[in-house]
Amino acid sequence: MALLEVEDLNVRFYTEDGVVKATNDLSYQIEAGERFGVVGESGAGKSVTSLALMRLIEEPGVVESGEIRFKGQNLLDLEYEEMRQIRGNEIAMIFQDAETALNPAYTVGEQISEAIRVHLGLNEEAAKERAIEKLESVGIPDAPQRYTDYPHQFSGGMQQRAVIAMALSCDPDLIIADEPTTALDVTIEAQILSLLEDICTETDTAIQLITHDLGVVAEFCERVMVMYAGHPVEMATVEDLYYNPQHPYTVGLMSSIPRIGDNRDRLQTIPGRMPDLIENPPGCNFHPRCPYAEEVCTRMEPPLVDVETGVELEEVASDQQTAACLEHTGDLQKGLDYTVTVREETSMEADGGVTDE
Amino acid sequence: MSTKSQQSQTNRGRIRIEGFDAEAVEKRDPLSAWQPELETKEAKSRTYYAWRRFKRNRLALFGAVIVTAMVLLTVFARPWGLPEWIPYLGGATVQPFSLAAQDPATQDILVGYQPPTVEHLLNWPPSTLHIFGTDWAGRDLFARTIYGGRYSLSIGFIAVGVALLVGVPLGSIAGYYGGYVDEFIMRIVDMLYAFPFIVLAIAVITILGRGYWEIVLALIVVGWLSYARIIRGEILSVKQNEYVTAAKALGARDRSIIIKHIMPNAMAPVIVQATLSVGTVVLTAAALGFLGLGLSPATAEWGVMLNVEQDSMARGNWWAGLFPGLALFFFVMAINLIGDGVRDAFDPQGDKKGSGGFR
Amino acid sequence: MSLQRFILKRGLITIPLLIGVSIMTFGMIHFIPGDPVDFITQFADLDPEVEDEIRSQYGLDQPVYIQYFNWMSDAIILDFGNAITTNRTVGAEIGDRLPYTLLMGSMAFLVTVVTAIPLGIYAAYHRNTRIDQVSRVFALLGVALPNFWLGLILILLFSSYLGLFPVLPPTGEGLLSWDMIRYTILPAVTIGTGATALMMRLMRSSMVEELDKDYVRTARAKGLPEKTVIRKHVVRNSLISVVTVAAIQVAFIISGSVVVEVVFSYPGIGRLLVERVQTRDFPVIQALVLIIGVFVIFANMLADIIYAYLDPRIRY
């Protein structure tokens, strides 16, 4: 049994323009201590997925169907009070923008220790002590002094560290980090990511990292799910995904990363943009933007299948690679025609499909 | 696992993918009839969506119906002639209809089943003959109430219109040019803002004296402040936007930048404020009338009527004050309904509600 | 920025504003077409010599800036000269009336705060539900009701028909006597209705804005009980921003008292102002306008300072 099992999760937003299908039959698992990445363009349903895990979807959104099993228990069946005991305690969340995630009217210390008091039942003193300990553990210097500082007295990087300390305050088993480094500059991003990695390995905490940045995923994650229009389109270990992408969308994302020493005369992009999730394209949602799309793609919705066998899996083992493209069910006639090359230091090129070192 | 990821991390930067041919997608015919909704959506203007949302707002439409009905009632209350000073056409009747059977100033109106005595003439409760009753002088209150709308409504619309013409340019100039011009204009606004709405209006009336145009002017002096403030604030925020910088860099002139690029984006809150202001202005004009600082006591203006009838009301002649007050109340409420509707229509929060929560 | 520096800075901004307001008030009389002497003598037919005497008595023969300076230096010690219509000092006239307006104003303010804030919070918490709709309709009615008309109807209902309140203010009773306070209830409620409607909506929108803030989601994600989230993180923060709204209320209540005092024959400064405008008693009008302007400026300043004190981003 995995730490977290999401099964056929459907989240809908009932808006005046129509029903937004934010996630569609989303299923995935995260093992204890695993670093799991969720990648996609903005609007792909990544954040909704994480809010759904915390049951924090607000009006007009609803979790329409599906199960979210955490340690075997379906979170969607819990009473409010039981769910509240899990939030911040067993599952904690790190938000994208630390500046707005902190209440400007309370000290940083108070905002950390209030969670400790609520979940661990400690008194003021003990909670303060623990909060300072956590502030120290995320690398905030002079933590006892900074405990009484207000958020605006912290720099952006320090605010993000404080938010991470808040998430760690009750030693959760799963941390959901929603673009934790997007608002930060690159040097601080690297620091924060290595901090999260240390926490993960030291305390065996699982992390679900949501990002649109494939570079961050490559650095940080062990396994990745690529999302498009509320659907998982590819799920694989980081190595498989990078060296052997099996979904055209993943391929598009990867070929649109600019690189130093690139001799292409223009930056590759994925044409068009993501549908608004109200009225999705028929068949494969990606077909209007896919260079490999054929007529069949407008008719058949591709299932998420094992890329080697082409069979839909009940339970996906953590080292298996799955993708949702008709290529893998054998329905595509021309196939996916791209090459992945890994250049050595000497820029020697290898062709013909996928080449490892 | 960890050694493997360490090792591969160093090499990933050199992965390169070829064969993802984006141009082919742009060149080929669409495979299905599906169109990306987002793009068609943005092509339509903000006003189009505001109007669509306004039309769906039942309360706002209800307000619009009331306002329209009241405007029609006042226009057709009595015949309408052109002023005498216009050459040739002076005195000509433009609007011949009269919904009110009696002239609002006529006092001897009792005919019929009872001998006309003074007691019967004055302060009559509503009856079939006078559906709103008569006032202390025996004048028909229905005629006076619908005719009285001419004063309140016209003061409201004219004062707000002119105040817009004063406040919007001054606020735009202050916001766009900044510096001393801004300081000068906004300090005046701040000073005038120190006086509560009606106190300032009374002060102006003190200077100008009483009368229709004096009231209008007083309400303009009070009214332009909020538009100047709002448009200045909007312009200060719009000015930061890149398209304004771009227009500047391309050498567009100040005036055309303000009119073409800034105004359309800054006007929405001004329109909302102006709509709501019509209500405030009408209320203030009526309040001035009520305080005896407005039109002459014989006028059928709603505030004046309430002033004249207040003692009569306290003695229990409820109808004397009920109808002018209700007319005022309904008009202001309807205006507020429209104003709220306009705000909801323009308010980006409507959008936030729709697409917020996931991103 | 430290709080002391903020107060200093805020105070410094106020000075030119006060000077501007005083110049405007002083200048009022010079905008009026005609000779000021005519207003002082109420257009009596007088010898030119007597007129000159009056002119020099009131300093009208001096240059305008000297006149302003004299007027202002007297005004600072609350000496506004004599009222024209009663021959009493303006200070005494206003001194008699001001306490009543303060009593009524503070009662109206109390009514407003006590009702508007809880209602606003309640409506915001239940936003987009039936409850919110009802509060919206109530606010709409409150804003659209002309306060003078509402006053007349309340008199008709509670004084004339039900006899719960006296129709006329008690005479010879002290300011804080039960009779006076009882008489003040109806006017205070009349003003309070509009003010409540306004403040309730402001409280609601302030809290709705706060509810949408990221840190509220953070607080929920931390697993705090919903009550704590609302009380500690939402209501407290939205109350901070409502402090500035309270200053708007002061101006709104003054506006209301001018009209409502006339409706209830209430012996306050609002009715004094209206009476003296009708009799063109300029020294009294000027003094009242100045006092009201200064009062509003100080109310705004106080609100800003309280806000700064409550908001740690300014305090530290």
Side-chain angles (χ1 to χ4, degrees), chain B residues 54-84:
Chain B
F54 185 82
K55 274 196 301 190
R56 272 197 242 144
N57 187 336
R58 263 187 252 151
L59 274 178
L61 287 184
F62 176 64
V65 168
I66 292 187
V67 168
T68 316
M70 288 184 84
V71 168
L72 291 177
L73 267 180
T74 57
V75 168
F76 293 107
R78 298 293 294 166
W80 204 349
L82 288 175
E84 296 293 338

Side-chain angles (χ1 to χ4, degrees), chain C residues 119-130:
Chain C
L119 287 176
I121 291 172
Y122 196 65
Y125 189 66
H126 295 279
R127 63 174 152 169
N128 301 330
T129 63
R130 185 63 54 82

Side-chain angles (χ1 to χ4, degrees), chain B residues 96-120:
Chain B
F97 300 97
S98 79
L99 289 173
Q102 291 89 15
D103 188 279
T106 310
Q107 298 183 9
D108 54 342
I109 13 85
L110 192 76
V111 277
Y113 51 93
Q114 271 187 320
T117 65
V118 172
E119 287 74 37
H120 285 128

Side-chain angles (χ1 to χ4, degrees), chain A residues 284 292-303 305 309-312 324-336:
Chain A
C284 173
Y292 312 110
E294 293 172 11
E295 194 269 336
V296 63
C297 296
T298 66
R299 288 187 284 108
M300 277 176 71
E301 196 172 336
V305 295
T309 59
V311 180
E312 245 179 296
C325 181
L326 291 176
E327 163 71 5
H328 307 300
T329 57
D331 290 298
L332 221 54
Q333 281 172 1
K334 287 187 211 146
L336 305 179

Side-chain angles (χ1 to χ4, degrees), chain C residues 123-141:
Chain C
Y125 189 66
H126 295 279
R127 63 174 152 169
N128 301 330
T129 63
R130 185 63 54 82
I131 294 165
D132 191 22
Q133 291 294 328
V134 170
S135 94
R136 185 175 172 171
V137 169
F138 173 76
L140 201 70
L141 299 183

Side-chain angles (χ1 to χ4, degrees), chain A residues 38 93 162 243 268 277 322 345:
Chain A
V38 179
M93 200 154 176
Y243 293 110
Q268 191 84 41
L277 304 182
T322 52
E345 228 53 60

